[in-house]
Amino acid sequence: MLDMFAQTRLQWEALCLELGLPLIHAKTIYRALFKEGHTDLATLASLPKILQEKLRDSFAGNGATIAKESLSRYDGTVKFLIRLGDGSLVESVLMPEKQRITLCISRQVGCAQACTFCYTGRMGLKRQMTAGEIVSQVWLARQWIREHPEWLEARSYPSFASVSNIVFMGMGEPLDNVIEVSRALHILSDPWGFHLALRKISVSTAGHRDGLVAILEEFPDLSLALSLHATTERERSQLMPINRRWPIGELLDFLRAHYERTGTDRSLLVQYTVIRGVNDSERQARELVELLRGLPVKLNLIPLNEVEPSRFQSPEPGSLEAFRDLLYEAGIRVMVRYSKGQDIDAACGQLVIKTKAEESESISVV
Ligand code: SAH
């Protein structure tokens, strides 16, 4: 069986051609599946019988379902625990914001990058997710919103509102899975499907140069986020092993060239997790200003979420402020961002699937 969530519209069109049918049926399928939320495509009355049969015999879902949802009492964030077809678990996070509804999605079960302060990184990589599984997270979140009009109402959204922005900031390094991610981007942005503009989709990377080259070639308009977290090669390599493979100096040069060449008005979102005594000094703030020179940067400072047990701590409020002020005075667009959904473990770096043993272990730590 083929995964119906993983097919690009071109593939449905190819199927129509193969069956000698007009291409318009591909749009009907896309609209039914993604705009209207039907999964029983074989019963669509407007499709010819031969196509209905093909759909019944050869296509199915991928089995992803919402296994559990948790609603944050503070900010209305909803964390979904998603069970994939093979029983693997991942998470996506729905975040209500003023003008938009953002869904943070996963693309790997676990992560191979092993950034020292990130809880997901401790899981290691269990497996890559498929394009269909990536797309299904958006489908499931939209369906959930449809079934929970009170969630929209409580936040004064119109009743037709749905996921408007996607960030690839859940579990995993998206550019370690670039083929499936790029396929998912084609599907998510298709005007006959979810129709999410590429500039409303942000792919966050720990600094995977080869992946960036590949994805930008295909989607020059994509919004990018870079997890920086340190200002010298040595310090960054200590926090983020990926820096040994693609040193940050070269990576930023590559990005400078990209923004110059394309002349895009897109900004580069730089994420800097602030860790007490590790990367929050005045010296490091000054180095950060130099490092980011010549890039269209929006800088988010994210105070570290402490995940136990960990040797890393959140910054002192005073040093965080001083750090931000120095950057602000140097002309950088900077914001301190507190992670959403802290009461439901939905915050950055907290996405991790606990096994039973680990759960009881973490209870005994508390
Ligand atoms: N692998 C991609 C996508 C992960 S996005 C990337 O590195 O960009 C998740 C973001 O949360 C990353 O910026 C990550 O570095 C950050 N993060 C990880 N652990 C954190 C923690 N404990 N506190 C705050 N931010 C954290």
Side-chain angles (χ1 to χ4, degrees), residues 107 111 113 115 117-119 168-170 172-174 204-207 225-227 229 240 271 273 302-307 339 348-350:
R107 58 271 139 189
C111 184
Q113 292 305 332
C115 299
F117 51 86
C118 177
Y119 210 15
F168 280 78
M169 292 183 187
E173 165 55 45
S204 182
T205 178
L226 173 69
S227 296
H229 309 327
M240 306 175 74
Q271 312 184 86
T273 294
I302 308 165
L304 179 90
N305 296 305
E306 291 181 22
V307 277
S339 289
C348 301
Q350 291 186 339

Side-chain angles (χ1 to χ4, degrees), residues 164-209:
S164 63
N165 293 62
I166 306 276
V167 293
F168 280 78
M169 292 183 187
M171 289 170 100
E173 165 55 45
L175 300 183
D176 272 339
N177 188 12
V178 80
I179 292 175
E180 299 299 313
V181 166
S182 94
R183 195 182 171 89
L185 289 174
H186 280 295
I187 299 170
L188 294 171
S189 60
D190 193 289
W192 289 86
F194 293 136
H195 198 185
L196 291 154
L198 285 167
R199 63 190 166 77
K200 297 199 166 183
I201 305 181
S202 177
V203 169
S204 182
T205 178
H208 193 302
R209 197 198 129 107

